[in-house]
Amino acid sequence: MAASRPARVALLEQLQADGVTHMFGNPGTVEQGFLDELRSFPELQYVLALQEAAVVGMADGYARTTRKPAVMQLHSGVGLGNGIGMLYQAMRGHAPLVVLVGESGLAYDSMDAQMAADLVAMAEPVTKWATRVVDPQSVLRLLRRAMKVAATPPYGPVLVVLPADVMDENTEEPVVPTSYLDTGSVPGAGSVAQAARLLAGARHPMVIAGDGVHFSGAQGELARLAERWGAEVWGADWAEVNLPADHPAYHGQLGHMFGAASRLTTAQADAVLVVGTYVLPEVYPALEGVFAPGAKVVHIDLDTGAIAKNFPVDLGLVADPKQTLGLLTAALEREMTPQDRARAAERIQLWGREKAAAHAEAVAKDVQDAETQPLSMALFARELARLLPEESVVFDEALTSSPELGRYLPPNLPGNWMSTRGGSLGVGIPGAIGAKLARPDATVFGFTGDGGSMYTPQALWTAARYDIAAKFVICNNGRYHLLDQNIAEYWRSQGITAHDFPDLFDLSRPAIDFVRLAGSLGVRAVRVEKVQEVVPAIVDALAHAGPFLIDLVIDRDI
């Protein structure tokens, strides 16, 4: 047994033993005991944010960048409530977060006290696991379990409730590093061979891949399999670089919103390999007909819940994507006929030519449009790509501007591009801050919209307070433009004649002064309205030693 000390001290000793260097949070009275002890742990930096959604967003960006558990502190029921939406985002994106939430104490359970709530019940829908410490002799045991669960595929947030009276009690629990799991499991040779037999003869093969590929580090293996099999690769629940966007086999992402749109693509395949995701993560998913009749479906994932979650598969393999894709590629090469291999190579070559031609056409149109249309994201992205250092990190919450951004800054390098997921706005600014803390030597740009930015503008203050030199771009089109696109699709699906978009999608009245807003929070900012202002703004942002914001006014006449 260790020497007796308050559990609040032992908690910080455990974080120290696990190599935790940052705790993101917004303090409250019921957490003041262990937060006060931070004075004795100078190697553990508390990153103060002014609102809980920003806290979670920063921890999310940090965890996604490091792929290690990020620790945060929220305050009782009200603080957890403020962070729930962003925790949902983190859960959907499989961010390994450990959320510490304080409460007044076990002694007050019967009192219906101010701010009291069933914190575990609140958190269960948006976490992998949620628990409450009730014994000071189990604080470290539960904390280690939380770290392990968060960091075991499928990654995700966990919550530990810390009653103040428990934390003030003494404990003799020893501090030992958390035991993490080796998940590099592989299926048996017979199962790999069976998968190859199911897939080998396909004339229209398809891979549906998600972020399980990224977390496994299987990007190279996925690329080789797609090339050998001659398969289209489509993304689903894809917010990391699972295959370089420039790869000939990468065809884009399936519909996040409407399953009917995705079904038009997926139902064309006669053999489907699903890896690192499930079928299919959409707001309005298709209930049937996702796969063509008779299509063979093989699913590889470490997440047992993802396999055959919504539709049957012919073979499900609970296994590490990196290891298994390599084995499957070798088995496919043995199983495929010379004609199969020749057709696969022809498809890859054709897609490469088509992708290059489409890119050239899009770039030419951007150049043409720049002569007659207002300032666009495409023009800004083109100049930014020219000036950015190599291996810069992009956190993309540009949403409707993302296609233009990706045209010039394609998400090709694993770990250097992340996008929003989960449907909760506001992760672009805090996510970039977390990424910059994790990658202090990299240039980090966070993109968001004028609407999304207003969910977490408080995060700018944190960037200024700690001199976190992330750069931010507000794609300012004066609207919730994504809602314009979604309602237009809704009108088409319902046979409703197109008409004016609802006025409530408009954000231009009153206009938001992002330069003054950022300045009031300590961040230098410029507004860009004209083409000739683009390059000077980017140069200033890159040269500035601290955080910098560009208010980019796009797609409207000034």
Side-chain angles (χ1 to χ4, degrees):
M1 299 296 287
S4 181
R5 72 283 196 213
R8 64 180 184 271
V9 175
L11 170 82
L12 299 176
E13 291 174 352
Q14 181 64 51
L15 296 180
Q16 184 180 54
D18 279 325
V20 175
T21 57
H22 294 81
M23 178 188 294
F24 302 86
N26 181 260
T29 304
V30 296
E31 301 87 15
Q32 59 191 2
F34 76 81
L35 293 179
D36 187 44
E37 298 289 351
L38 282 168
R39 67 188 186 280
S40 300
F41 296 82
E43 68 284 354
L44 178 55
Q45 181 184 7
Y46 187 92
V47 181
L48 175 63
L50 301 182
Q51 208 271 354
E52 289 82 0
V55 171
V56 182
M58 290 178 208
D60 178 272
Y62 185 86
R64 291 178 67 182
T65 304
T66 62
R67 284 191 280 174
K68 296 178 180 179
V71 176
M72 74 181 78
Q73 168 267 320
L74 301 180
H75 173 51
S76 196
V78 289
L80 176 59
N82 284 341
I84 287 288
M86 203 65 79
L87 276 173
Y88 177 82
Q89 170 114 316
M91 180 190 70
R92 299 295 304 195
H94 313 294
L97 305 181
V98 175
V99 188
L100 306 178
V101 182
E103 63 168 24
S104 56
L106 301 181
Y108 309 107
D109 274 7
S110 64
M111 301 300 293
D112 190 25
Q114 178 74 8
M115 294 192 295
D118 187 341
L119 302 178
V120 170
M122 287 177 64
E124 281 178 336
V126 295
T127 57
K128 280 185 70 178
W129 179 60
T131 191
R132 185 189 193 208
V133 177
V134 296
D135 180 357
Q137 304 304 325
S138 291
V139 172
L140 305 190
R141 188 191 330 274
L142 287 175
L143 184 58
R144 287 192 294 269
R145 181 178 173 187
M147 300 285 281
K148 183 198 74 169
V149 170
T152 301
Y155 296 165
V158 301
L159 175 130
V160 181
V161 179
L162 303 174
D165 52 5
V166 175
M167 300 304 293
D168 288 338
E169 292 288 329
N170 277 8
T171 181
E172 292 81 37
E173 262 196 294
V175 172
V176 295
T178 295
S179 300
Y180 295 106
L181 307 184
D182 181 349
T183 58
S185 59
V186 297
S191 295
V192 175
Q194 181 184 357
R197 288 193 297 271
L198 287 167
L199 302 176
R203 295 298 185 95
H204 192 159
M206 180 178 296
V207 177
I208 301 174
D211 285 341
V213 172
H214 166 78
F215 295 132
S216 176
Q219 293 90 345
E221 287 75 11
L222 176 59
R224 283 188 287 276
L225 181 138
E227 291 160 8
R228 303 297 191 275
W229 195 28
E232 299 178 5
V233 177
W234 290 88
D237 205 16
W238 176 306
E240 308 283 350
V241 177
N242 301 295
L243 185 71
D246 286 349
H247 193 281
Y250 179 64
H251 279 59
Q253 297 203 37
L254 296 168
H256 162 72
M257 187 64 60
F258 299 101
S262 299
R263 185 170 55 195
L264 295 175
T265 296
T266 58
Q268 296 178 26
D270 57 353
V272 180
L273 173 64
V274 185
V275 57
T277 187
Y278 72 95
V279 182
L280 280 163
E282 295 154 333
V283 177
Y284 301 103
L287 301 178
E288 58 185 0
V290 170
F291 301 125
K296 303 302 181 184
V297 181
V298 174
H299 195 152
I300 300 168
D301 211 311
L302 282 167
D303 181 0
T304 58
I307 298 173
K309 182 175 186 174
N310 293 319
F311 302 97
V313 301
D314 293 281
L315 179 62
L317 302 176
V318 181
D320 172 47
K322 181 178 179 67
Q323 306 278 357
T324 308
L325 288 174
L327 294 172
L328 180 56
T329 300
L332 278 170
E333 289 176 333
R334 291 191 296 270
E335 194 72 30
M336 293 169 67
T337 67
Q339 292 81 7
D340 291 334
R341 289 193 287 270
R343 283 193 291 264
E346 289 172 3
R347 289 193 293 268
I348 293 294
Q349 293 169 4
L350 173 63
W351 295 334
R353 293 192 296 270
E354 290 177 343
K355 179 169 281 192
H359 179 77
E361 182 179 352
V363 169
K365 186 176 185 304
D366 289 341
V367 173
Q368 183 180 6
D369 290 346
E371 299 175 357
T372 58
Q373 296 182 5
L375 178 59
S376 67
M377 184 63 190
L379 188 147
F380 180 87
R382 183 180 67 195
E383 296 300 330
L384 180 63
R386 185 173 62 84
L387 296 169
L388 263 187
E390 290 186 9
E391 298 197 9
S392 294
V393 176
V394 170
F395 199 111
D396 177 12
E397 196 193 21
L399 298 178
T400 55
S401 294
S402 292
E404 290 80 8
L405 177 64
R407 188 175 303 144
Y408 297 96
L409 287 168
N412 287 333
L413 188 62
N416 284 51
W417 176 86
M418 293 165 277
S419 77
T420 182
R421 67 276 186 266
S424 176
L425 291 178
V427 73
I429 292 174
I433 292 171
K436 180 63 176 177
L437 277 173
R439 297 273 303 275
D441 296 331
T443 299
V444 177
F445 262 82
F447 292 82
T448 186
D450 45 340
S453 69
M454 293 306 295
Y455 281 65
T456 51
Q458 307 91 337
L460 294 172
W461 181 89
T462 300
R465 179 183 178 97
Y466 299 102
D467 198 25
I468 302 168
K471 316 302 177 183
F472 313 100
V473 178
I474 308 293
C475 305
N476 185 353
N477 56 21
R479 300 191 60 78
Y480 286 126
H481 189 47
L482 183 62
L483 297 184
D484 292 342
Q485 294 182 351
N486 289 343
I487 201 169
E489 178 63 27
Y490 170 76
W491 290 337
R492 285 190 290 270
S493 70
Q494 298 297 314
I496 298 172
T497 302
H499 49 277
D500 291 340
F501 293 121
D503 184 62
L504 53 89
F505 295 176
D506 173 60
L507 302 178
S508 66
R509 307 190 315 275
I512 302 168
D513 191 332
F514 286 104
V515 173
R516 291 179 63 190
L517 175 61
S520 73
L521 296 169
V523 172
R524 184 178 168 189
V526 297
R527 182 175 172 91
V528 173
E529 300 176 344
K530 301 175 182 177
V531 171
Q532 59 267 32
E533 297 169 344
V534 168
V535 170
I538 295 172
V539 170
D540 284 351
L542 293 172
H544 185 60
F548 195 101
L549 183 142
I550 297 173
D551 177 16
L552 180 66
V553 182
I554 56 172
D555 301 330
R556 50 182 172 156
D557 295 314
I558 300 297

